[in-house]
Amino acid sequence: MVSQYILSIAIWLPIVGGVLVLATGGDRNAPLARWLSLVVAVLTFIATIPLYTGFNLNTYTMQFVENYSWIEAFNIRYHVGVDGISLLLILLTSFTTVLVVISAWQVIQKKVAQYLAAFLIMEGLMIGVFSALDAILFYVFWEAMLVPMFIIIGLWGGANRVYATIKFFLYTFIGSVLMLVAFIYLYYQAEGSFDILTFHDLKLGLTEQILIFLAFLAAFAVKIPMWPVHTWLPDAHVEAPTGGSVILAAIMLKMGGYGLLRFSMPILPDASHELAWLMIALSLIAVVYIALVALVQEDMKKLIAYSSIAHMGFVTLGFFMFNAQGIEGGIVQMISHGFISGALFLCVGIMYDRLHSRLIKDYGGVANTMPVFAAFMMLFALANAGLPGTSGFVGEFLVILGAFQVNVWYAFAAATILIFGAAYTLWMYKRVIFGKVVNDGVKTLTDVTAREILFLVLLAVPVLVLGLWPFPFLDVLHASVEHLLQQVSVSKL
Amino acid sequence: MFGLSMKTIYLLIPLSPLAGAIIAGLFGWKIGKVGAHVVTILGVTVSFVLSAFVVLPDVLAGHVFNGPVYTWGVSGNIPMEIGFLIDPLSALMMTVVSFVSLMVHIYTIGYMRDDPGYQRFFSYIALFTFSMLILVMSNNFLQLFFGWEAVGVMSYLLIGFWFTRESAIVANLKAFLVNRIGDFGFILGIAAIYYYFGTLDYGAVFAMAPQFTDKVVQVFPGLDWNVLTLIAILLFVGAMGKSAQVPLHVWLPDSMEGPTPISALIHAATMVTAGVFMVARMSPLYELSETALSVVIVIGAVTAISMALLGIVQNDIKRVVAYSTLSQLGYMMVALGASAYAAGIFHLMTHAFFKALLFLAAGSVIIALHHEQDMRKMGGLKKYMPITFITAWIGALALAGIPPFAGFFSKDMIIEAVHLSQVPGSGFAYIAVLSGVFVTALYTFRMLFLTFEGKPRMDEHALRHVKESPWVVTVPLILLAIPSFIIGALMVEPLLFENYFGDSIKVLAAHDVVAQLGRQYEGLWSFVSHALVSAPFLLAVGGIFTAWLLYIRYPHLPDLISKRTRMVYTILVNKYFADEFNNFVFAGGTRIFGRWLWKIGDVKLIDGLAVNGTARVIGWISAVIRHVQSGYVYHYAFAMILGLFLLITFFLHG
């Protein structure tokens, strides 16, 4: 039966496909590389669909599990599986990769095969991160995934790409090393096992828990990114090519949030409660402080990057409310943010491809020359501002509901996103899209092509569906989130 | 009807304008201008016909519907649903909304005839109608918020419809953000309801509300608030945004940058009354909190009088009507605060007709003068535009509250109700609404006289081209003038004294001023004859007379007065400096603070000190350590000797 190997297919198909794309060689064969990549990406997406259709909603136990011995000496296993939380993230990954391949079609003309191969390989590794149930396997995917990202920013990036890449590398690497130390400690506590589900049941003292929590946090907070370790993100986004920004914002940031749910909260319930104040404080700082910083950005990509940090602050806030609305809201926010920030980065990319500027002041009156584009960007801007009926609303709403149950003032601070989120997004929109044509560059703009419309539509549909009917998305989460709440509410002391 | 079940009809009412909007929006380029207005008008007509001739009679026959359409989502075992509550209140709103919308759709054919964005405009106003219907038909807070935000977005898109005009795109951003400040309170109110009641369904919340009268929540340590008061005030903050109550009123005058049809539809008749509707819908909650009612009545009264005063000094014809709308919304809020919900909704309805009429009449004048809005360049239009002139008179009389026009009944009911109310603040509110009557009549007739009477003040060229507007403009004017004339007299008894609203509005016996009015009420004729010797009527006549003195009899007087009262005039012309204050303190302050956080927090402290600082420290340490590895043998030898010395010392004395 194929269904037993769905996860392995989803992990290895894009990796093998990526290697094949790489084998097409130089830019002479670019069309072949493009078509092959598209086929691989679409096949991978199709391969992940049975994860959803065959998913059992009534259990929190891992599904589609594969468990083999890998490195006998240390009892490291190739153990993968999904629950409701990882399922949605895997689908988001396979879906987004298809869009990235389409969006690179004409834009990338140099080293096409390498560019596309990097994304396909990264896709496999990211799906690996979301499905690994062995800590070392997780760690390998987690670290390996950084390599293609460095290459993407380093080779296809902007002028200041070396600084951005090194900053990105140092930040994420230092955090990851601490996480590895924590894994090794847990390995000895678990009497020689790296099994994550075994970690969940380990008895651990409070001091241990707090130290491990901080070690994990070092890795996850950088990825999310949480204030004050967020400054690598705007730099990385500004330098990254459009596809890199999309994957960075849509998927990579989510790995930090996923880590909190898969490791920190269930393994360390007491530390999670003990340090909840810290997580909440950092989250709210992200929501308010970062939103204000976003307001005054002059570079569109930086603005969206800061907006991402603020929205991820909502995610972490929701998680540490320790109630169903908060956690489910946080997860939905991650998915929704994947679509919306991906879409906004693609929108900026569309303009950048034409005028080679990301600065707000270089634009104005784009709606006159690109009306169809303006309509799409309006939708995504409103979604980013959390408009009901779009996916952006669902997560924010649930997190606010969750926060109110814990403390009125958390909800109060969180709800400021309604004002600031609208302010920075729509103010940017006003300056870029509305108004009279400000310069000859804008006058020469041509509206979106059929290919661009294709990926914008592919993003608009989930944004609207998730906004109007989040039921099927939330439904997948219930059993897993309930179990997580159970785990995090039982003290290990 | 046609064998359709009622549930299908309820669905058809919002969905048919939606279908029109989608067709006109996505395929407008294909179906052309005629196609676009045909599909949207068809959609809205379906809504109106079904609302007025199927749903309304059905509701009057006592059939109330309350049920879900689909489950939006479930979180923590609490389902959140999309559903309809069709009762007398929503049926009335549906009828008013779809009727005014239909009139505005027809009018738009004439008003936007030469606009390149014709199809887009029809798509937007049909989509707005859909959103507004979703709002009023909702049976739960989630959907209410959906509609609430959706009408806000449509307002945003329509104010900025002419997106190349800088003033329009500043105004629409302002409108959206000020509304978002209101929504900030609103969503917290919804979160509070969800937390305390565990459901977002109106019926369940209202049923449970009386159990919460003693429940308190600690807002600050040492400060406890009643839960219902907290909820009611948070929700009211939302209403203050949407219904433009002081101090969140600043967006509405600027929204006049949008095309006139939407000023009539959205910024006068329907969307801005959403706050009033919401508070009336939530009467079972507001009734249980005296404090909240008091807040509502005071904010409403301040809005009613302060905004009316601004109407006197405006020269832009649309802005006069806009300030008038603000003031009238204040009247409606005052009614709600006095627990006279029925009177508030009654005024909402009459106002929807006569204010839409006044806006469309103003629009008719504006197109006749080729988009001139300054009343100083109008005058003497009555003989060129007789239909516009007569219908504008009807609207003005209704607004000023002259019997037997519609506004008279609704406004008089509000004033009487406030007079009887015992809510703290009602004394102040009574004075405010009473003096407001004089001011209302004054600015209304100032506008009427400046526009239609006297000598023409426009240039020769403009005057030569002045003519009555086409039938697509005048027919809606006439169709709106009819209810502006008669709807008050027709509806005052059923709406207020024959328990039309039934269970859809709940009033505590102690607050029930409408019932007290009912006991004094002795039929339409005696009501009118009593009113003819009452203060409001005399004040209204006085206002009209003053306007006549100032703008017809002695037209040089206004200038003289404004010069003599320089300070008052400056404050009024500058709208109490509210915009200046907001721009400087809120918009400017936030940007400065944001820039400071960015440049100091992110760039200097985190990146400069922490990140690059760490790199620099590591670099510095390595530079120092590098000196130790000098490569000279005697350095190493010296280091070894030093180390040996230290070790010996350690062992000997250790």
Side-chain angles (χ1 to χ4, degrees):
Chain A
M1 270 301 287
V2 184
S3 70
Q4 285 168 282
Y5 305 109
I6 291 178
L7 279 174
S8 284
I9 293 170
I11 294 168
W12 298 105
L13 177 67
I15 294 177
V16 172
V19 173
L20 283 178
V21 169
L22 213 50
T24 60
D27 286 336
R28 273 177 304 120
N29 294 328
L32 175 65
R34 290 188 186 113
W35 281 108
L36 186 59
S37 307
L38 185 62
V39 169
V40 172
V42 170
L43 282 179
T44 311
F45 176 61
I46 292 172
T48 54
I49 290 174
L51 293 177
Y52 182 84
T53 52
F55 191 78
N56 181 353
L57 296 172
N58 301 316
T59 174
Y60 64 83
T61 51
M62 290 295 163
Q63 304 183 34
F64 305 97
V65 174
E66 297 169 46
N67 192 352
Y68 316 101
S69 181
W70 180 25
I71 303 172
E72 291 273 5
F74 299 101
N75 192 20
I76 298 170
R77 304 183 69 80
Y78 178 85
H79 184 188
V80 292
V82 292
D83 65 356
I85 298 166
S86 44
L87 169 65
L88 291 179
L89 289 164
I90 290 172
L91 286 170
L92 179 68
T93 308
S94 60
F95 179 75
T96 312
T97 306
V98 176
L99 297 180
V100 168
V101 171
I102 301 173
S103 76
W105 210 259
Q106 280 162 355
V107 179
I108 300 295
Q109 291 293 346
K110 268 182 282 180
K111 303 197 183 86
V112 178
Q114 287 89 331
Y115 182 83
L116 293 170
F119 278 105
L120 290 175
I121 292 170
M122 197 156 54
E123 177 187 14
L125 297 171
M126 289 187 298
I127 293 176
V129 167
F130 292 131
S131 52
L133 293 176
D134 181 281
I136 294 300
L137 185 67
F138 175 85
Y139 186 76
V140 168
F141 282 132
W142 175 277
E143 293 290 28
M145 188 215 64
L146 293 175
V147 178
M149 199 53 165
F150 297 143
I151 296 174
I152 289 164
I153 300 177
L155 279 183
W156 289 271
N160 204 10
R161 55 184 186 258
V162 177
Y163 172 74
T165 315
I166 291 177
K167 200 171 175 184
F168 174 41
F169 177 79
L170 286 180
Y171 257 114
T172 48
F173 185 72
I174 292 166
S176 307
V177 168
L178 290 172
M179 177 172 76
L180 182 63
V181 173
F183 284 160
I184 293 169
Y185 180 84
L186 289 170
Y187 170 75
Y188 285 110
Q189 294 302 307
E191 289 160 0
S193 168
F194 279 111
D195 190 68
I196 295 171
L197 301 178
T198 311
F199 288 174
H200 284 184
D201 298 329
L202 279 183
K203 281 269 177 242
L204 294 166
L206 185 60
T207 320
E208 287 174 289
Q209 284 197 31
I210 287 180
L211 289 172
I212 299 171
F213 188 94
L214 294 174
F216 280 157
L217 186 62
F220 301 145
V222 166
K223 268 279 171 18
I224 288 171
M226 298 180 79
W227 187 89
V229 289
H230 63 280
T231 56
W232 64 270
L233 186 73
D235 286 328
H237 269 309
V238 168
E239 300 307 327
T242 302
S245 283
V246 171
I247 292 296
L248 194 56
I251 322 284
M252 277 185 56
L253 305 188
K254 311 307 170 334
M255 293 169 38
Y258 174 74
L260 291 175
L261 294 179
R262 181 63 77 234
F263 295 94
S264 307
M265 291 169 70
I267 300 177
L268 315 159
D270 302 293
S272 298
H273 283 286
E274 200 68 27
L275 293 174
W277 64 270
L278 176 70
M279 301 302 288
I280 293 166
L282 295 180
S283 306
L284 288 177
I285 290 175
V287 171
V288 179
Y289 169 120
I290 296 297
L292 289 170
V293 173
L295 194 63
V296 295
Q297 294 305 308
E298 290 139 12
D299 180 311
M300 288 189 267
K301 266 193 155 179
K302 270 201 172 171
L303 194 153
I304 301 166
Y306 275 109
S307 156
S308 294
I309 303 168
H311 281 93
M312 290 304 288
F314 242 78
V315 173
T316 46
L317 177 71
F319 290 169
F320 284 84
M321 294 296 108
F322 304 115
N323 53 41
Q325 288 78 21
I327 293 177
E328 291 183 353
I331 297 168
V332 171
Q333 176 82 331
M334 292 206 289
I335 305 298
S336 153
H337 177 260
F339 296 129
I340 296 169
S341 66
L344 284 174
F345 278 120
L346 284 166
C347 285
V348 175
I350 287 170
M351 288 189 281
Y352 183 81
D353 294 340
R354 288 161 170 75
L355 283 191
H356 300 285
S357 169
R358 292 179 306 259
L359 294 180
I360 293 172
K361 67 175 168 56
D362 290 341
Y363 291 88
V366 171
N368 294 289
T369 41
M370 301 177 73
V372 177
F373 170 75
F376 276 108
M377 188 153 168
M378 181 87 264
L379 172 69
F380 297 125
L382 288 171
N384 199 46
L387 180 77
T390 67
S391 63
F393 169 71
V394 186
E396 285 180 14
F397 181 62
L398 289 175
V399 171
I400 290 172
L401 291 186
F404 198 98
Q405 297 170 35
V406 178
N407 185 316
V408 179
W409 292 103
Y410 296 163
F412 184 88
T416 57
I417 201 169
L418 253 72
I419 303 165
F420 296 132
Y424 57 68
T425 315
L426 296 180
W427 190 34
M428 173 188 81
Y429 189 87
K430 168 191 172 274
R431 288 176 292 168
V432 171
I433 307 290
F434 285 151
K436 290 194 171 67
V437 172
V438 287
N439 57 37
D440 290 341
V442 175
K443 200 184 284 174
T444 58
L445 285 175
T446 49
D447 211 340
V448 274
T449 61
R451 185 181 52 79
E452 288 163 336
I453 289 177
L454 172 66
F455 62 72
L456 291 175
V457 168
L458 285 177
L459 280 164
V461 169
V463 165
L464 288 172
V465 170
L466 181 48
L468 292 172
W469 196 42
F471 185 84
F473 296 82
L474 289 168
D475 219 22
V476 180
L477 293 174
H478 294 318
S480 303
V481 170
E482 213 165 284
H483 178 59
L484 176 63
L485 281 170
Q486 170 76 24
Q487 286 177 313
V488 81
S489 66
V490 177
S491 170
K492 286 187 170 180
L493 299 177
Chain B
M1 198 177 92
F2 309 129
L4 297 174
S5 75
M6 281 315 280
K7 214 172 161 179
T8 318
I9 286 171
Y10 299 146
L11 275 172
L12 271 175
I13 289 173
L15 292 184
S16 48
L18 176 67
I22 291 173
I23 296 170
L26 295 183
F27 307 105
W29 54 279
K30 203 162 192 176
I31 58 178
K33 290 186 169 185
V34 176
H37 73 231
V38 167
V39 285
T40 49
I41 289 177
L42 205 65
V44 178
T45 308
V46 169
S47 298
F48 170 65
V49 170
L50 291 178
S51 302
F53 303 114
V54 182
V55 174
L56 199 58
D58 187 56
V59 166
L60 286 174
H63 298 142
V64 169
F65 175 84
N66 182 5
V69 176
Y70 72 91
T71 303
W72 182 75
V74 182
S75 187
N77 297 325
I78 302 176
M80 290 179 256
E81 285 173 331
I82 297 296
F84 294 147
L85 169 59
I86 311 293
D87 66 356
L89 180 58
S90 43
L92 183 73
M93 289 297 290
M94 285 153 66
T95 310
V96 172
V97 168
S98 55
F99 176 70
V100 178
S101 173
L102 181 59
M103 291 304 108
V104 169
H105 271 77
I106 297 169
Y107 179 91
T108 300
I109 299 173
Y111 194 87
M112 300 295 281
R113 195 179 51 216
D114 302 320
D115 199 285
Y118 191 84
Q119 289 94 319
R120 185 163 58 96
F121 191 85
F122 273 97
S123 170
Y124 284 176
I125 52 176
L127 200 53
F128 167 78
T129 311
F130 160 75
S131 314
M132 191 71 202
L133 287 167
I134 285 293
L135 192 163
V136 298
M137 292 170 77
S138 170
N139 75 344
N140 63 80
F141 289 89
L142 176 75
Q143 186 181 335
L144 176 72
F145 193 70
F146 264 71
W148 195 264
E149 290 277 287
V151 291
V153 164
M154 295 324 296
S155 158
Y156 166 78
L157 291 173
L158 283 161
I159 297 169
F161 184 77
W162 288 314
F163 58 79
T164 53
R165 290 189 189 171
E166 185 62 21
S167 56
I169 58 179
V170 171
N172 78 340
L173 187 62
K174 182 175 172 183
F176 197 81
L177 293 183
V178 173
N179 267 293
R180 270 291 169 109
I181 294 172
D183 298 347
F184 164 78
F186 200 61
I187 203 165
L188 288 175
I190 293 175
I193 286 168
Y194 185 81
Y195 175 48
Y196 289 109
F197 293 86
T199 173
L200 291 176
D201 187 73
Y202 289 162
V205 171
F206 297 161
M208 272 186 269
Q211 302 160 20
F212 283 80
T213 44
D214 300 326
K215 201 167 167 72
V216 291
V217 55
Q218 192 180 55
V219 181
F220 294 106
L223 176 64
D224 288 344
W225 263 28
N226 181 286
V227 166
L228 290 171
T229 301
L230 178 72
I231 290 173
I233 289 180
L234 285 171
L235 292 176
F236 183 64
V237 172
M240 284 166 67
K242 196 107 301 179
S243 292
Q245 298 295 296
V246 173
L248 298 183
H249 65 282
V250 289
W251 65 272
L252 187 65
D254 290 6
S255 76
M256 297 301 127
E257 293 300 332
T260 304
I262 65 117
S263 304
L265 176 62
I266 301 183
H267 304 119
T270 57
M271 184 190 84
V272 289
T273 60
V276 177
F277 164 76
M278 188 274 291
V279 175
R281 177 54 96 201
M282 303 307 148
S283 60
L285 298 180
Y286 280 86
E287 275 305 291
L288 298 173
S289 170
E290 190 103 311
T291 317
L293 287 176
S294 198
V295 169
V296 174
I297 203 168
V298 169
I299 296 270
V302 170
T303 307
I305 184 67
S306 65
M307 294 299 117
L309 287 170
L310 297 186
I312 305 175
V313 298
Q314 293 296 317
N315 288 318
D316 183 316
I317 185 169
K318 277 181 73 180
R319 286 192 180 242
V320 177
V321 191
Y323 280 107
S324 158
T325 305
L326 282 166
S327 165
Q328 297 302 309
L329 289 167
Y331 272 88
M332 295 174 211
M333 286 297 177
V334 167
L336 304 175
S339 292
Y341 304 96
I345 295 294
F346 184 36
H347 195 54
L348 184 162
M349 179 183 72
T350 59
H351 176 260
F353 295 125
F354 66 70
K355 193 51 70 68
L357 169 62
L358 280 173
F359 260 120
L360 296 186
S364 173
V365 170
I366 292 167
I367 21 180
L369 296 176
H370 299 279
H371 294 272
E372 178 59 69
Q373 301 188 187
D374 193 331
M375 293 191 298
R376 287 169 297 192
K377 295 177 185 160
M378 295 180 183
L381 289 175
K382 65 178 172 188
K383 65 178 176 198
Y384 302 98
M385 311 182 70
I387 302 176
T388 306
F389 171 64
I390 293 168
T391 51
W393 256 93
I394 294 173
L397 288 168
L399 173 57
I402 302 298
F405 294 89
F408 158 74
F409 293 95
S410 52
K411 194 181 285 180
D412 219 48
M413 282 300 163
I414 292 175
I415 294 168
E416 292 294 319
V418 178
H419 194 42
L420 291 174
S421 172
Q422 301 294 324
V423 173
S426 57
F428 161 69
Y430 181 64
I431 297 168
V433 291
L434 204 56
S435 43
V437 172
F438 175 81
V439 184
T440 306
L442 175 58
Y443 69 67
T444 309
F445 279 82
R446 169 179 176 264
M447 174 182 78
L448 206 63
F449 294 153
L450 283 178
T451 310
F452 293 104
E453 306 289 336
K455 289 197 179 65
R457 292 181 296 276
M458 61 290 277
D459 57 52
E460 276 299 306
H461 175 79
L463 188 61
R464 235 176 303 135
H465 287 88
V466 172
K467 58 172 193 296
E468 183 58 279
S469 300
W471 69 268
V472 282
V473 170
T474 51
V475 166
L477 289 180
I478 295 165
L479 289 178
L480 283 165
I482 295 168
S484 300
F485 199 157
I486 58 165
I487 199 92
L490 222 56
M491 299 290 271
V492 62
E493 282 180 36
L495 275 194
L496 271 89
F497 306 128
E498 288 168 12
N499 196 25
Y500 166 82
F501 289 107
D503 290 335
S504 57
I505 285 175
K506 280 207 180 66
V507 187
L508 295 189
H511 291 168
D512 204 347
V513 288
V514 175
Q516 285 184 54
L517 285 178
R519 283 193 288 278
Q520 298 165 7
Y521 183 83
E522 292 158 350
L524 197 62
W525 176 240
S526 82
F527 180 74
V528 174
S529 57
H530 273 297
L532 287 179
V533 292
S534 67
F537 176 71
L538 298 176
L539 283 167
V541 173
I544 297 173
F545 181 66
T546 312
W548 178 79
L549 278 180
L550 292 175
Y551 297 96
I552 293 189
R553 190 72 185 85
Y554 304 110
H556 60 282
L557 262 184
D559 272 346
L560 206 64
I561 296 173
S562 66
K563 284 207 182 72
R564 285 287 160 80
T565 56
R566 183 50 64 194
M567 206 177 79
V568 177
Y569 183 73
T570 310
I571 291 173
L572 290 182
V573 162
N574 288 292
K575 303 159 275 182
Y576 310 116
F577 296 97
D579 283 336
E580 285 74 9
F581 180 81
N582 289 338
N583 283 342
F584 185 74
V585 177
F586 293 114
T590 311
R591 281 207 293 270
I592 289 168
F593 188 48
R595 187 164 297 278
W596 184 83
L597 286 177
W598 179 33
K599 293 290 185 192
I600 305 292
D602 269 27
V603 176
K604 276 236 172 75
L605 288 179
I606 296 177
D607 268 2
L609 208 65
V611 178
N612 298 341
T614 310
R616 222 169 296 133
V617 168
I618 291 174
W620 181 76
I621 291 173
S622 2
V624 170
I625 292 175
R626 205 175 56 209
H627 286 298
V628 178
Q629 300 173 331
S630 59
Y632 294 110
V633 177
Y634 65 90
H635 281 173
Y636 295 124
F638 179 70
M640 282 164 71
I641 290 164
L642 194 70
L644 202 63
F645 179 74
L646 285 173
L647 275 177
I648 290 168
T649 315
F650 180 73
F651 282 119
L652 287 181
H653 299 275

